[in-house]
Amino acid sequence: MNPQVKTVLLTVLTLSCFAIALVELSGVSSTALFNKYSIGNGGNGNPAGEQAATDQRAAKVAAMPKTTMVFTDTKHSFGTINEGDVVKFAYHFKNTGQHPLLITRTDVSCGCTTPSFPKEPIAPGGEGDILVQFNSSGKKGHQQKNVLVHSNAQEEAISIGFDADIKEK
């Protein structure tokens, strides 16, 4: 076989493997290994097993009247922590509207951030917490992370976040 043809075929093969690796690691494809086998968060902050529940909540939220929610704090600083530390913070909120508040989902900016939120509707005047856990393993220096909270509030997506300065081990 001609050496130029071999070079072209090898280049095409290498680029194809690289493209496949990017799709798998980013979780862009719904059939990517990370999504298919629920490894990590599949790049979207929502494990595949919870997708049906999220879809049901989204349909329910779309049919609900709008309300309002207010967070006590939307930003938090963990200060200086050591690489490998796992830290948590609860963002407290209140339903200040006239209708029940239902959180549909949360979107994270990084797989190192894990939020948990109430799955049941919050009555008018009711309160709740969104617990955010940050795993600093493999992180160094100043880190800023955000979580988007989607609900039937007037502002459909509210950003909460934190920062931390991470010391190397």
Side-chain angles (χ1 to χ4, degrees), residues 9-23:
L9 289 175
L10 185 59
T11 302
V12 169
L13 178 65
T14 303
L15 290 174
S16 297
C17 289
F18 181 71
I20 290 169
L22 280 177
V23 168

Side-chain angles (χ1 to χ4, degrees), residues 13-91:
L13 178 65
T14 303
L15 290 174
S16 297
C17 289
F18 181 71
I20 290 169
L22 280 177
V23 168
E24 289 293 328
L25 292 174
S26 69
V28 171
S29 168
S30 63
T31 58
L33 288 176
F34 283 96
N35 290 335
K36 187 174 181 181
Y37 297 109
S38 300
I39 300 170
N41 64 13
N44 66 4
N46 190 6
E50 293 182 10
Q51 189 60 46
T54 299
D55 291 345
Q56 286 177 339
R57 277 194 308 278
K60 191 173 182 179
V61 164
M64 293 176 76
K66 296 289 185 188
T67 190
T68 54
M69 74 186 297
V70 174
F71 281 89
T72 305
D73 291 308
T74 57
K75 299 295 177 203
H76 177 73
S77 179
F78 287 112
T80 302
I81 61 174
N82 294 315
E83 181 183 353
D85 286 352
V86 176
V87 292
K88 298 176 186 180
F89 184 76
Y91 294 86

